[in-house]
Amino acid sequence: MTFTLPDLPYAYDALQPYMSKETLEFHHDKHHKAYVDTGNNLLKGSELEGKSVEEIVKASYGKNQPLFNNAGQHYNHIHFWQWMKPNGGGAIPGSIEKRIESDLGGVEKFKADFVQAGIGQFGSGWAWLAVKNGKLEIMKTPNGENPLVHGAEPILGVDVWEHSYYIDYRNRRPDYLKAFIENLVNWEHVEEMLSKTA
Amino acid sequence: MAHYHRRALLAGATALTFAASIRQASAQAAPAGPYKLDPLPYPANANEPHIDAKTMEIHHGRHHQAYVTNLNAALKEHADLAKKPLHELLASLDQVPQSVRTAIRNNGGGHANHAMFWQIMGGKGGEPGGELKAAIDRDLGGFEAMKKAFNTAGAGRFGSGWVFVTVDKAGKLAITSKPNQDTPLMDGERVLFGNDVWEHAYYLTYQNRRPDYLAAWWNVVDWSKVSERFAAAKAGTLTI
């Protein structure tokens, strides 16, 4: 058992009305659990068994697609739960705001570009705020991919697979993305990840 | 054939569906363009309980409408491309200017896939007969083996996409799967029928249980429509 499903760091109904209890129950208990279980089955007996999720993501990319899909999604969801909190959003901590000003043209532009990255990821995938070569960068990736396999370190990500918002927002992905950035982001976790980047 | 079909459907549209399409058009502020969203060829609840009416309404009136709107927008400055039949446009994406290639691939594919999808549902399931049955027996190992392989391909499509049975001019069938809104039309092939495995196709009823959706979907296939497409493919008149 290399991967384990973490508990949600808040109650299932804690993110309402922006993300429903029902969405979190399916998303965490079914989707994330399936990535964990499938990933563990694929790891059984492989040389990557017991390695860290980051190492497995990087080592399986382009080499073992089924394992990469599930390892990538496990990594993405571990952080996704922590990137949200009740009464989230609000003021961005100074240390991050400064970097957003210098690297991304200001907070309003960052928010608009982040939302646009999520809208523009056709099909399933993620939009990211990541650190690459010492600078903040907005990225988007398909399916289970993430910035780790593109030479970058993610510090914030939003899931734009339809399962992340379909119960609450149906086809209205832009509304979901705006609610995420304005009302759900746990900036303390973003700050913590930023502080650990190279 | 697709153009004739579109006009016939519009001419036969009831006042109700006409009003619905006007509402959709104004809600989406669709720019003028060569492509239009046909009304569903049956009521939105026609596929219940296997596909719920709300899913059908959003899938057709929102998702498919968005593909049509965005396809028209991508073609706005490209009158030459707008004149091409959709199956030809999708088969020659390499000749499309890079500035609109992705938009046409995604939204043109989305329009072609969904136009096919509505057409072949609204039925009562069961099994096809005649020449189509013979082709399935010959190329896909029989009806049950086809369903199993098709469902496995659909369940194995990680992320968003489609699973298809393709047909060539000789009537030869094959199962394939594509990501996002890609279609075998982009390989110059023809689609006999296909199922949408984007989560929006099933999430309101089935949530994470895609295999259950794939298994239930066969109950709404209209094999008479699929047989018409089979005959058209062999006659060389099947487009999207």
Side-chain angles (χ1 to χ4, degrees), chain B residues 156-225:
Chain B
R157 166 54 54 196
F158 192 74
S160 305
W162 288 75
V163 52
F164 300 97
V165 170
T166 58
V167 56
D168 72 10
K169 264 193 169 178
K172 186 167 172 47
L173 309 181
I175 292 172
T176 189
S177 155
K178 294 281 183 186
N180 299 326
Q181 293 297 349
D182 285 359
T183 148
L185 293 170
M186 293 167 184
D187 310 319
E189 297 178 349
R190 289 291 175 275
V191 172
L192 180 60
F193 66 91
N195 192 5
D196 188 347
V197 296
W198 283 57
E199 289 171 322
H200 65 230
Y202 59 85
Y203 211 77
L204 298 185
T205 299
Y206 299 91
Q207 293 88 35
N208 60 304
R209 294 174 288 108
R210 187 190 288 185
D212 291 357
Y213 160 71
L214 283 159
W217 178 78
W218 298 97
N219 292 306
V220 302
V221 174
D222 185 340
W223 288 110
S224 68
K225 289 288 193 298

Side-chain angles (χ1 to χ4, degrees), chain B residues 5-27:
Chain B
H5 185 59
R6 179 179 302 146
R7 277 198 295 274
L9 278 174
L10 284 174
T14 63
L16 189 69
T17 52
F18 181 67
S21 65
I22 293 288
R23 274 202 306 277
Q24 283 155 6
S26 58

